[in-house]
Amino acid sequence: MSQQEQLAIVGGRPLRGRLRASGSKNAALYALAAALLTAEPVRLHNVPEIRDIGEMGRLIESLGGEVTIEGGDVTLDASGVTETVAAPERVVALRASFLVMGPLLARFGEAGCPSPGGDAIGVRPVDVHLTGFRALGADVAREGQNFVARAPRLEGSRVFLDYPSVLGTVNVLFAATLARGTTTIVNAAAEPEVEMAGDLLNAMGARVSGHGSNRITVGGVESLHGTEFSIIPDRIEGGTFLLAGLATGGDVELEGAEPTHMDSLLTKLREAGARVEVSDHSVRACVDGPLRAVQLQAVPYPGFPTDLHAPMAAALTQAEGISIIHERVFENRLLYVGELRTMGGRITTGGQSVIIEGATRLVGSPVRALDVRAAAAVVIAGLAAEGETVVRDIVHLKRGYPRIEERLEALGAEVHAR
Ligand code: UD1
């Protein structure tokens, strides 16, 4: 796919209907990396069919692993891994590539990786990961462009994370599974994707408890084994579709979802006047009248997810009153604001706060997809706008939203890839 690929959206049609939640992009990336911890095959199901999965697969292959991707089923066999240093050309595109560090260090006593890439949404250092590896007894150094960690056998320990970094928690969790003795990770990220990583590790023979809370305990074991495991639904992708439904005055039902992972979003949607119906594995959101402005902060889980900040802002352009979003996770999440302004959104920023005055009649315009969630925001705005919106660089959109055109069309949207 070319970087310039575009998506044309003819706005003004309410999105209506049902769709099935995809498997979580982030959780699937963690699961692929976890397979490096064992010499036995790991079979994953419900893996979303997006580029990032292929990128992670190629990184694992470049280390000597075998990766077979058949639609949503991915089989990994890391028995042949011989290389413990990730090649720079394999990590530039993907921040999650740094997750090879924990498993390689734990299993082979040595791991190296350049500073990882990913979306340009802030400084995104890796100090939390490195401090965690050091706390487990590893020597960590910068060698050329690589971070290199070494320890013949990691030692379980109390690891305090300065910040509950999601990838940092997962990396330290991976490393601790094969350490000698018990590790406690304090101030751990509690995101459902981290919880799933702990469940997967336990299915591989690890002894992890407390995952999904801010304190994770890991009893080290000698080795892990293969398993078969299904990826959890993507709360961010699902939330994006619910927001698109509401922004267009529609009615969207998400099936195969996990509503308990979506408390913060669903609470805000209700506060904004949406009718939200939840059952065991489905969520439906629609509007009876106009949406109302809300205020929120994007914070670590279980608070409102930073990944839904931009999509929420786009939907709030259609809410009456003044909405305020304060971004507290990434310092560079506000790239979408200029694009929404181009479309007629009345949005201002002050520091890390975004102030949205609504409801606004948005006008279809040429806009850019600047990162995966900024892309989702302009798509939502385009669906709600009058006339045609052409989104450039939708390669970013496709990183987080499998078969996006088809899924939007199934809900009644008029979209065309160009
Ligand atoms: C993950 C998700 C991303 C999501 C984010 C927060 C993946 C591939 N990405 O990113 O979609 O938006 O969680 O929910 O799963 N930080 C440090 N030092 C570190 C690590 C992070 O200071 O060592 C800072 C970052 O600069 C940022 C904040 O912590 O300001 C949050 O980062 P983190 O939780 O690590 O996000 P990621 O795990 O990179």
Side-chain angles (χ1 to χ4, degrees):
M1 182 175 30
S2 96
Q3 183 80 8
Q4 282 76 39
E5 196 184 333
Q6 301 181 343
L7 185 70
I9 303 165
V10 180
R13 295 169 165 228
L15 295 197
R16 289 184 200 284
R18 292 190 186 147
L19 86 160
R20 250 203 119 64
S22 301
S24 160
K25 165 178 90 85
N26 289 350
L29 290 169
Y30 311 165
L32 263 71
L36 284 168
L37 279 161
T38 174
E40 292 181 12
V42 172
R43 275 185 69 73
L44 302 172
H45 305 293
N46 201 34
V47 176
E49 295 175 45
I50 48 173
R51 254 168 94 102
D52 282 12
I53 297 299
E55 298 272 357
M56 193 70 170
R58 279 187 287 280
L59 170 59
I60 291 169
E61 283 173 345
S62 73
L63 299 169
E66 272 178 34
V67 182
T68 314
I69 302 179
E70 290 163 322
D73 299 320
V74 177
T75 305
L76 300 109
D77 180 344
S79 57
V81 169
T82 45
E83 181 59 66
T84 55
V85 179
E89 65 275 15
R90 292 264 67 94
V91 309
V92 279
L94 200 61
R95 178 152 173 93
S97 50
F98 206 66
L99 283 185
V100 302
M101 287 289 284
L104 292 174
L105 174 63
R107 189 167 147 216
F108 300 105
E110 182 178 66
C113 188
S115 188
D119 279 326
I121 51 171
V123 179
R124 309 189 88 176
V126 288
D127 55 298
V128 170
H129 308 233
L130 303 181
T131 307
F133 297 149
R134 283 195 187 100
L136 296 175
D139 285 326
V140 180
R142 184 101 201 209
E143 293 179 11
Q145 60 182 330
N146 291 333
F147 292 105
V148 179
R150 291 189 185 88
R153 175 91 194 256
L154 294 168
E155 298 285 342
S157 139
R158 183 181 163 90
V159 182
F160 172 74
L161 305 186
D162 196 29
Y163 181 90
S165 156
V166 176
L167 289 175
T169 300
V170 175
N171 231 345
V172 175
L173 171 61
F174 285 163
T177 55
L178 297 179
R180 191 186 293 119
T182 302
T183 297
T184 309
I185 309 175
V186 181
N187 199 24
E191 270 70 2
E193 296 76 23
V194 180
E195 183 176 8
M196 189 212 79
D199 287 340
L200 167 61
L201 293 169
N202 284 342
M204 294 167 68
R207 292 194 294 129
V208 181
S209 58
H211 46 307
S213 80
N214 296 121
R215 180 181 294 252
I216 303 177
T217 304
V218 188
V221 296
E222 291 301 315
S223 65
L224 295 177
H225 54 71
T227 193
E228 195 160 342
F229 194 87
S230 196
I231 303 300
I232 58 170
D234 196 318
R235 64 196 167 103
I236 306 300
E237 185 221 27
T240 303
F241 280 106
L242 294 181
L243 288 166
L246 295 176
T248 56
D251 182 347
V252 169
E253 185 171 354
L254 194 61
E255 295 178 321
E258 189 46 74
T260 58
H261 293 170
M262 303 173 83
D263 286 330
S264 56
L265 172 69
L266 301 183
T267 303
K268 279 297 156 192
L269 295 185
R270 288 194 175 103
E271 199 184 316
R275 186 145 58 85
V276 178
E277 289 167 15
V278 167
S279 63
D280 274 358
H281 295 293
S282 83
V283 189
R284 177 180 169 200
C286 58
V287 270
D288 296 325
L291 286 172
R292 292 190 296 270
V294 292
Q295 298 194 1
L296 62 96
Q297 301 200 25
V299 289
Y301 188 84
F304 195 91
T306 176
D307 284 343
L308 284 177
H309 161 164
M312 183 74 173
L316 288 174
T317 63
Q318 303 309 300
E320 287 180 358
I322 295 186
S323 294
I324 301 176
I325 301 181
H326 189 61
E327 173 62 45
R328 289 183 48 193
V329 180
F330 288 110
E331 72 274 17
N332 197 13
R333 255 300 185 215
L334 313 187
L335 297 173
Y336 70 91
V337 168
E339 306 307 299
L340 294 191
R341 274 201 204 122
T342 303
M343 299 178 71
R346 289 201 297 273
I347 312 185
T348 52
T349 59
Q352 286 290 90
S353 295
V354 180
I355 299 152
I356 305 155
E357 204 184 322
T360 326
R361 179 169 288 197
L362 298 175
V363 183
S365 318
V367 285
R368 287 167 303 164
L370 293 163
D371 65 49
V372 52
R373 307 306 166 191
V378 292
V379 169
I380 291 173
L383 291 165
E386 266 177 24
E388 189 184 69
T389 293
V390 178
V391 185
R392 273 187 287 150
D393 298 341
I394 58 159
V395 62
H396 292 295
L397 180 68
K398 297 197 164 185
R399 287 189 55 195
Y401 298 92
R403 297 182 290 111
I404 181 80
E405 297 96 338
E406 189 186 317
R407 284 159 81 67
L408 287 173
E409 271 168 3
L411 295 174
E414 192 179 336
V415 294
H416 310 279
R418 286 188 181 164

